[in-house]
Amino acid sequence: MAVRFVVQTGDPVLRQVCEPVKNFNKELWALLDDMKSTVRAESGAGLAAPQIGVPVRAVVIDVEEGFFELINPVIISCKGEQRGPEGCLSVKGKQGTVVRPQKVKAEYRDRHGKKHKLTAEGFFARAVCHELDHLDGKLYIDVAEEVYDLPPEE
Ligand code: NI
């Protein structure tokens, strides 16, 4: 498992519509392992494969509810609305105010290709929406009501 470089906004890989994963093999597992190392090293809530330069439909999410690997994920229903702060490891030093659904249901495959469903609420739902947007080349700064600078890190 290796910590990978996180590409920053302006890099065209962040604007691609990513390809579905077809092979649930060791190459995918190595990618997911690197994504886990990277999101933890960066203290992020999630990371999408294009953020480490690989335009395929895979994300990891690391929240209170647990650590999730979502391959070829699709949101199948949304409910309610929440407005709150959001950041991105590919948009360093900034945060924005983003409206997201309060609750989402999604279908996805695990690293072995098995189908699953999940229900996410609150911050978890926000993370799911944010990471899935990355797979379609979208960033939160495209939809934020406002984007502001964070104070410099100590
Ligand atoms: Ni992001």
Side-chain angles (χ1 to χ4, degrees):
M1 298 218 283
V3 175
R4 304 270 292 262
F5 178 76
V6 178
V7 302
Q8 294 299 301
T9 177
D11 190 311
V13 74
L14 293 175
R15 294 307 188 174
Q16 288 189 40
V17 175
C18 297
E19 290 293 323
V21 171
K22 290 190 190 82
N23 299 309
F24 295 80
N25 56 14
K26 280 187 179 160
E27 196 185 331
L28 173 68
W29 304 341
L31 172 68
L32 292 166
D33 290 345
D34 285 358
M35 287 168 68
K36 183 176 188 175
S37 298
T38 306
V39 77
R40 295 226 155 133
E42 300 279 344
S43 304
L47 186 76
Q51 291 183 274
I52 56 168
V54 185
V56 301
R57 303 188 82 80
V59 309
V60 296
I61 293 176
D62 197 11
V63 289
E64 266 181 33
E65 289 82 351
F67 181 81
F68 297 85
E69 296 174 341
L70 312 182
I71 321 299
N72 299 343
V74 181
I75 290 175
I76 52 173
S77 72
C78 297
K79 207 172 167 184
E81 197 177 273
Q82 57 174 320
R83 174 179 280 98
E86 204 164 303
C88 180
L89 296 177
S90 294
V91 189
K92 280 264 160 71
K94 292 188 185 294
Q95 244 180 24
T97 306
V98 185
V99 176
R100 298 285 191 187
Q102 176 60 24
K103 191 172 174 180
V104 299
K105 286 184 184 173
E107 280 181 354
Y108 64 98
R109 290 181 188 272
D110 66 21
R111 60 164 61 204
H112 303 287
K114 190 171 179 241
K115 262 194 177 181
H116 298 272
K117 280 185 190 175
L118 67 76
T119 301
E121 283 194 67
F123 184 74
F124 185 15
R126 176 177 295 282
V128 169
C129 294
H130 177 113
E131 298 311 328
L132 269 60
D133 273 356
H134 274 297
L135 304 182
D136 291 320
K138 296 179 199 156
L139 300 175
Y140 83 84
I141 50 176
D142 306 335
V143 293
E145 291 180 341
E146 53 168 352
V147 178
Y148 45 90
D149 290 326
L150 287 174
E153 282 176 47
E154 296 282 305

